[in-house]
Amino acid sequence: QVQLVESGGGLVQAGGSLRLSCAASEGTFRLYYMGWFRRAPGKEREFVAAIDWSGGSTDYAESVKGRFTISRDNAKNTVYLQMNSLKPEDTAVYFCARGPLAYITRNPREYTYWGQGTQVTVSS
């Protein structure tokens, strides 16, 4: 079975940085587009970023563009989310998920094998 495990969350002050990691358990990871989503207190799940199979194409939510960077290392079966210039409104549980084989999407219904999430808290 496919397993995704997020790590790297924690408490950080506004303006600080944090790097999240998502490790996949199986060898077909390199074939799939991957995404990051987040769920803030009292809000619905929100798209954050996505990346194609090679890492050559990416997509970002407007709220994080220029501050967050998604990347992947297929040799390590791992996708990353580098978060810089963090704001209190970035506080949320962050999830990684496996996407389609051929295109980037922001629709969470097109993602499968979600991780259990990692908490990010940004203080003012």
Side-chain angles (χ1 to χ4, degrees):
Q1 60 181 20
V2 176
Q3 185 175 351
L4 302 175
V5 180
E6 302 96 333
S7 62
L11 176 64
V12 64
Q13 289 187 324
S17 298
L18 210 58
R19 179 183 291 174
L20 306 183
S21 298
C22 174
S25 64
E26 56 88 39
T28 61
F29 166 85
R30 68 188 185 280
L31 303 176
Y32 289 87
Y33 289 45
M34 298 290 294
W36 286 95
F37 293 78
R38 67 187 182 187
R39 188 177 185 91
K43 299 183 68 176
E44 296 185 7
R45 182 172 49 187
E46 176 188 24
F47 170 80
V48 176
I51 190 167
D52 76 342
W53 68 271
S54 70
S57 295
T58 57
D59 185 35
Y60 298 94
E62 290 298 322
S63 60
V64 307
K65 192 173 297 182
R67 300 188 297 120
F68 290 11
T69 302
I70 187 171
S71 62
R72 66 192 298 165
D73 186 341
N74 289 338
K76 296 181 178 180
N77 287 351
T78 302
V79 62
Y80 305 95
L81 185 68
Q82 178 67 46
M83 305 184 295
N84 299 325
S85 301
L86 283 162
K87 305 174 181 179
E89 51 263 44
D90 294 318
T91 295
V93 178
Y94 284 72
F95 302 88
C96 69
R98 194 181 77 178
L101 286 166
Y103 58 93
I104 285 179
T105 178
R106 299 184 177 192
N107 185 356
R109 294 185 180 183
E110 299 190 73
Y111 287 81
T112 58
Y113 296 107
W114 294 75
Q116 58 193 355
T118 185
Q119 176 70 49
V120 172
T121 302
V122 184
S123 62
S124 60

